[in-house]
Amino acid sequence: AQTVTQSQPEMSVQEAETVTLSCTYDTSESDYYLFWYKQPPSRQMILVIRQEAYKQQNATENRFSVNFQKAAKSFSLKISDSQLGDAAMYFCAYRSAGGGNKLTFGTGTQLKVEL
Amino acid sequence: DAMVIQNPRYQVTQFGKPVTLSCSQTLNHNVMYWYQQKSSQAPKLLFHYYDKDFNNEADTPDNFQSRRPNTSFCFLDIRSPGLGDAAMYLCATSRDMTSYEQYFGPGTRLTVT
């Protein structure tokens, strides 16, 4: 079974600064997808960014980028130019490429953005 | 423009009293999921429907059941809630089983007294 570990329960960042959230995972599969989801307070979880394991290039979405290290089974999220609206719980998630659409989540990192 | 709607947002039930949580979607997606998210824990998939086909996760307790009367609606029934069932329950949808993205509702927080 796959597992996802987020070792940082809480992180803080100053507005306009950069922060990196860590995620590691364990799997015996070679083909899979990795995701970062954002859950703002009292609002629904939304997809921030995804990475296909077969792609060597790191995914980027505007101010959000990932550092995907397949051999190390590491998948960190970098948020540049942090904004107050980035404050949320961030979940790392894993999904197998073959069969089914089950997401396995980490326990989340609560990000605080300070003025 | 709400896409996945969960009602109610907060639900209080008594120990052992059956409770039903509701989810509806305006996306016309084929797949609907129910996740359980306990405090400080990762969301955990309970089951999903692909159209009318029900798929239960192996470790989902028998106490939890689901119904999907049509494409738009899906219900989570907890037959005899225990204190350990207090959690946030998240509903999500995806277009099909190969879609990358799941669309989540805001969740229903269940309290068991």
Side-chain angles (χ1 to χ4, degrees):
Chain A
Q2 295 81 25
T3 59
V4 177
T5 302
Q6 293 179 250
S7 59
Q8 306 156 315
E10 291 185 1
M11 291 282 286
S12 292
V13 63
Q14 297 283 330
E15 197 177 16
E17 296 296 308
T18 296
V19 65
T20 298
L21 309 183
S22 301
C23 173
T24 58
Y25 58 95
D26 189 26
T27 184
S28 58
E29 298 175 332
S30 59
D31 199 11
Y32 48 86
Y33 304 98
L34 296 165
F35 306 86
W36 279 98
Y37 275 85
K38 170 186 177 182
Q39 188 178 37
S42 301
R43 295 183 62 186
Q44 59 261 50
M45 194 148 40
I46 57 172
L47 179 65
V48 174
I49 198 166
R50 78 164 189 268
Q51 175 79 43
E52 291 89 339
Y54 64 84
K55 290 186 177 179
Q56 292 187 334
Q57 187 172 7
N58 288 324
T60 299
E61 289 286 344
N62 300 314
R63 297 182 296 108
F64 298 87
S65 61
V66 299
N67 183 4
F68 173 50
Q69 302 289 328
K70 191 172 184 179
K73 296 181 181 173
S74 171
F75 181 62
S76 60
L77 174 69
K78 185 171 84 170
I79 306 174
S80 304
D81 186 26
S82 297
Q83 302 174 0
L84 293 177
D86 295 333
M89 181 72 88
Y90 286 81
F91 289 97
C92 179
Y94 173 103
R95 181 199 144 196
S96 297
N101 201 6
K102 176 181 177 179
L103 290 175
T104 300
F105 286 93
T107 51
T109 296
Q110 183 70 52
L111 179 66
K112 298 180 181 179
V113 180
E114 299 169 340
L115 292 171
Chain B
D1 60 341
M3 296 184 289
V4 182
I5 303 157
Q6 291 188 246
N7 286 310
R9 295 291 307 275
Y10 301 90
Q11 176 74 56
V12 180
T13 191
Q14 293 178 335
F15 182 93
K17 185 176 181 180
V19 64
T20 295
L21 308 183
S22 171
C23 176
S24 63
Q25 53 130 340
T26 61
L27 297 163
N28 205 34
H29 282 173
N30 288 316
V31 191
M32 295 187 77
Y33 310 81
W34 280 104
Y35 289 85
Q36 179 191 61
Q37 184 182 11
K38 294 187 177 181
S39 181
S40 303
Q41 295 185 23
K44 179 177 174 296
L45 182 64
L46 295 173
F47 28 59
H48 73 271
Y49 268 98
Y50 180 34
D51 196 13
K52 295 183 190 296
D53 292 333
F54 177 70
N55 296 271
N56 201 30
E57 291 298 303
D59 55 354
T60 298
D62 293 338
N63 201 24
F64 291 84
Q65 296 176 334
S66 186
R67 296 170 284 134
R68 189 179 185 187
N70 53 53
T71 300
S72 300
F73 286 86
C74 194
F75 301 99
L76 170 62
D77 300 309
I78 309 177
R79 287 191 298 183
S80 182
L83 298 179
D85 296 328
M88 176 75 84
Y89 290 88
L90 302 173
C91 175
T93 74
S94 67
R95 187 183 306 112
D96 53 45
M97 295 301 290
T98 62
S99 303
Y100 294 125
E101 186 167 358
Q102 293 187 17
Y103 295 80
F104 285 81
T108 294
R109 182 165 296 283
L110 178 68
T111 300
V112 182
T113 61

